[in-house]
Amino acid sequence: MKKQWWHDKVAYQIYPKSFYDTNGDGIGDLRGVISKLDYLKDLGIDIIWLSPIYPSPFADQGYDISDYYNIDPRFGTMHDLEELIAEAKKRNISILLDLVVNHCSDEHEWFQKALKNPTGEYGRYFYIREGKDGKEPSNIRSYFGGSAWEQIGDTNLYYLHLFHKKQPDLNWENPVVRKEIYDMINWWLEKGIAGFRIDAIMNIKKALPFHDYEADREDGLADCRAMLNENDGVMEFLKEMRDSTFRRYHAFTVGEVFNEKKGDLSEFIGEDGCFSSIFDFSQTVFGASEKGWYDNQPVTPDDYRQCCFNSQKRAEGIGFLSNIIENHDEPRGVSRYIPEGECSDEAKKMLATLYFLLQGIPFIYQGQEIGMENVPFDSIDQYDDVSTLEEYRVAQLNGLTNEQALEAVRRYSRDNARVPFQWDSSENAGFTKGTPWLLVSPDYPANNLKRQFTDPDSVFHYYKKLIALRKSEEYKDTFIYGQFIPAYTDEERVMAYYRIGEDQRILIIGNFKMAEQEIKLEQPYRKVLLHNYETVSGNGTSLLLKGYEVVVLEL
Ligand code: TEU
Ligand code: CA
């Protein structure tokens, strides 16, 4: 595989609104990010992905952009962003922005002009269609619930929004729109950012002409994915975008790609692929029900292992996936993948090790490095996230009591990951001197960075060691380019694999349960590279793993 500058990097996602607030308005800001650069450098981070910081009405927390060329005043100024890029560069850290171009905000100038003249030049920037017999042009459902079509005033015209009604979809079939987007991307790359995380990008290609699909719920609508699955040709847009923008700058791009078709992976992340990488979402979509969150099936340790191993196989020899346990759209990984009641510091360290040493680019989501867990919200009114509110309604509609519906959204709400970062034990977890925009998780007095900093056995210090190991001169080649081979797959609730380099053989093994587990080694080990307990038990040829013990061994 041809080596690329991003292959050996460790990335960190910042959700700016909840990272660190410097002016007391309760909202995290760019100066907050600047002030924590040394912290991130010390942790071992090379790449920072910032969730959207552009002007936005915040109908979907900044993923509804009203001006692609500016910074929302709540986050700061363009000068702050330039300073952030420059300060990051001094520390050898690259900045990625979030590229949200499937849709913009309904408050974007383009859409405002389109509303004034829906059949004119700007009308063609969007998907505007006539209604059918006084109803929507087709029966597709938006991701956030309800029809994906919104009526324009009292006309017979409707515009398409696959997400919130304040997020009208941009018409990628229109070459003028594509040119606007590519110009904007290049403008940002010129500013010195290293690339982008690319939002919801598989949605840009619609199956035209629009038509009805078989309804899949009682609302008579069909999941919009039925429409998306029907089309071909997204790759033409993606390659055109790459050639007009990223490729010219040697930019790093990571696509939010959910449903690439079998065999397509090399077109996405191969040497001539449209992106540098795409996220591996196989664990996050596992067990997801078409009916809604209330019907999702939990991911067992063996399912988790299977998802990771399948993805490793799928990408083998093709390219680098980006590996995560969580992001701003998902519950906390430690609350999701570690079975209920078993979430200890040891278990958190084990999960960290198991995903981090897979082949690919590891991403850490803010707070993950201190083991932040899901939040015990105790009322639906405490949630802000649009998709949480919709899933609560769907659960109620399907006969769940309010308490059961709350229980269901508590497991999956995006707000689990969106609450403020827990810096210390002072009021509001040290996140703000004002009133935080979203509840602070009540566990912050016990779990916060300051406390973990002083404890050498903390999850935080473990993450530092894990990152350092992956980047160490001695082992990095094996962790980055070494072959991946599953191990001990017959053992239940054991997740283990080898990474094999030129003349190194490393075993990563985790006991994904409370009970002890004996493991026969294929050969005696030479060295313990990382471990979440003080001592390794067993004799030279076997290991006796304690509950949630993980160990990285050089054989
Ligand atoms: O998410 C795209 C996405 O496909 C959604 O299905 C998302 O996983 C779902 O809403 C979770 O409930 C991206 C962003 O990451 C997300 O924050 C935005 O809301 C969305 O695009 C629209 O821009
Ligand atoms: Ca602020």
Side-chain angles (χ1 to χ4, degrees), residues 335-480:
S335 301
R336 183 180 211 166
Y337 303 121
I338 299 165
E340 219 170 322
E342 302 186 2
C343 187
S344 59
D345 277 4
E346 281 71 33
K348 290 174 181 180
K349 294 171 187 172
M350 184 205 68
L351 182 64
T353 315
L354 293 175
Y355 100 96
F356 209 84
L357 299 178
L358 294 168
Q359 181 158 53
I361 299 161
F363 274 68
I364 296 171
Y365 176 73
Q366 67 181 43
Q368 181 187 322
E369 76 276 28
I370 56 167
M372 282 179 67
E373 299 178 20
N374 278 356
V375 184
F377 288 95
D378 47 37
S379 144
I380 190 66
D381 305 325
Q382 291 174 327
Y383 289 99
D384 162 88
D385 167 36
V386 283
S387 75
T388 304
L389 302 178
E390 168 63 11
E391 294 284 351
Y392 182 76
R393 203 186 61 86
V394 168
Q396 284 177 318
L397 219 60
N398 284 278
L400 274 72
T401 64
N402 293 355
E403 191 39 52
Q404 290 166 329
L406 186 62
E407 178 66 26
V409 298
R410 222 185 257 135
R411 280 178 204 281
Y412 296 102
S413 175
R414 307 197 293 180
D415 283 344
N416 281 307
R418 295 179 178 188
V419 295
F421 189 102
Q422 294 166 198
W423 295 102
D424 58 39
S425 59
S426 68
E427 208 185 344
N428 300 320
F431 160 70
T432 180
K433 297 256 182 298
T435 308
W437 74 277
L438 186 66
L439 171 123
V440 176
S441 184
D443 72 357
Y444 80 86
N447 189 23
N448 59 69
L449 178 67
K450 193 168 176 196
R451 199 157 166 176
Q452 292 204 12
F453 220 88
T454 56
D455 171 8
D457 287 331
S458 65
V459 173
F460 166 75
H461 282 291
Y462 188 87
Y463 262 94
K464 267 188 82 166
K465 284 185 245 171
L466 179 59
I467 296 170
L469 172 63
R470 189 179 186 278
K471 293 168 72 167
S472 67
E473 279 313 316
E474 200 175 348
Y475 298 104
K476 67 188 272 185
D477 240 52
T478 302
F479 287 124
I480 293 157

Side-chain angles (χ1 to χ4, degrees), residues 489-500:
T489 46
D490 290 342
E491 303 290 354
E492 269 177 49
R493 296 187 65 167
V494 168
M495 180 164 161
Y497 52 91
Y498 299 103
R499 296 300 310 272
I500 299 173

Side-chain angles (χ1 to χ4, degrees), residues 1-7 250 271 317-318 320 481:
M1 203 180 289
K2 196 169 143 206
K3 295 193 174 175
Q4 304 288 357
W5 69 262
W6 53 79
H7 282 167
H250 215 53
E271 223 157 272
I318 294 178
F320 276 44
Y481 298 106

Side-chain angles (χ1 to χ4, degrees), residues 20-29 74:
Y20 187 60
D21 174 27
T22 56
N23 65 349
D25 65 354
I27 295 174
D29 41 54
R74 281 164 285 196

Side-chain angles (χ1 to χ4, degrees), residues 179-200:
K179 170 124 193 348
E180 292 262 22
I181 292 171
Y182 305 156
D183 288 349
M184 179 270 289
I185 293 173
N186 289 331
W187 186 85
W188 281 109
L189 290 170
E190 282 295 324
K191 268 205 178 295
I193 62 165
F196 293 94
R197 174 268 184 178
I198 303 176
D199 186 68

Side-chain angles (χ1 to χ4, degrees), residues 139-145 148 160 162-163 200 202-203 205-207 213-214 216-217 221-231 256-261 281 284-285 288-293 296 330 387 391:
N139 71 339
I140 48 177
R141 185 188 305 108
S142 87
Y143 287 108
F144 294 149
L160 181 73
L162 293 184
F163 292 89
M202 295 301 276
N203 295 284
K205 185 76 187 178
K206 279 58 174 173
Y213 296 83
E214 196 184 325
D216 55 27
R217 289 187 193 171
L221 303 175
D223 192 314
C224 60
R225 276 163 281 214
M227 184 268 291
L228 297 169
N229 289 340
E230 201 186 68
N231 74 65
E256 191 198 20
V257 172
F258 275 101
N259 44 346
E260 95 271 4
K261 296 188 176 124
F281 289 121
T284 58
V285 300
S289 166
E290 289 176 1
K291 296 183 190 161
W293 289 352
N296 283 0
E330 301 296 337
S387 75
E391 294 284 351

